[in-house]
Each structure stands twice: as structure tokens, then as C-alpha cells.
């Protein structure tokens, strides 16, 4: 059992997470992690090519990853 699973179990038993722990657990979600990596790569490509379409797509993919993790 990894750190994220142990902390989630502790939170279910009544312990309150801190602000940074909430952000870390949010990014530990596999879908959000994959979306963040994909969004980062799209952002780098968009900046390299000076293409606002890819920059906007990167922001959209990053937000979509957060929305998916918030719904769970």
C-alpha cells in the first residue's frame, strides 16, 4: 500500500488533511497524473512552435484532469 492509500485511509478515520496533502493526493489520481503529463508536453510543444492552439489545448487537458479527479 502506497503513501496515498495510507493517507486516504487515515482521512476516512477522521484525520484532516493539510492543504499541501490535498493537492498531492489530487495529483496522485492516475487520470489526473496522466492528464498533467500530457498537458505539460502539449504546453512545451505549443511554446516551442508558438502555436496558441496547443497552448490552449494543454490548459484544457490540465483542467479536464482536475475535473475528473474532483468528481471521484
Amino acid at each position: 500500500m502506497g503513501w496515498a492509500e495510507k493517507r486516504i485511509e487515515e482521512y476516512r478515520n477522521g484525520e484532516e488533511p493539510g492543504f499541501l496533502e490535498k493537492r498531492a493526493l489530487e495529483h496522485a489520481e492516475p487520470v489526473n497524473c496522466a492528464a498533467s503529463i500530457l498537458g505539460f508536453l502539449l504546453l512545451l510543444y505549443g511554446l516551442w512552435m508558438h502555436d496558441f492552439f496547443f497552448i490552449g489545448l494543454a490548459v484544457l487537458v490540465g483542467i479536464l484532469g482536475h475535473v475528473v479527479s474532483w468528481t471521484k
Side-chain angles (χ1 to χ4, degrees):
M1 184 183 305
W3 171 80
E5 289 86 12
K6 288 179 185 177
R7 293 301 289 169
I8 289 170
E9 193 63 37
E10 290 174 5
Y11 301 145
R12 287 184 182 148
N13 294 329
E15 187 177 335
E16 288 295 319
F19 177 77
L20 291 177
E21 285 181 328
K22 286 181 186 178
R23 301 293 76 81
L25 288 171
E26 180 179 294
H27 286 92
E29 176 74 33
V31 174
N32 191 4
C33 184
S36 295
I37 292 170
L38 179 62
F40 182 69
L41 292 175
L42 284 170
L43 179 67
L44 287 178
Y45 181 74
L47 290 173
W48 180 40
M49 297 301 291
H50 304 283
D51 191 349
F52 289 112
F53 173 76
F54 286 106
I55 295 170
L57 186 62
V59 171
L60 183 65
V61 168
I63 291 172
L64 185 64
H66 284 286
V67 169
V68 168
S69 70
W70 290 335
T71 59
K72 290 185 178 184

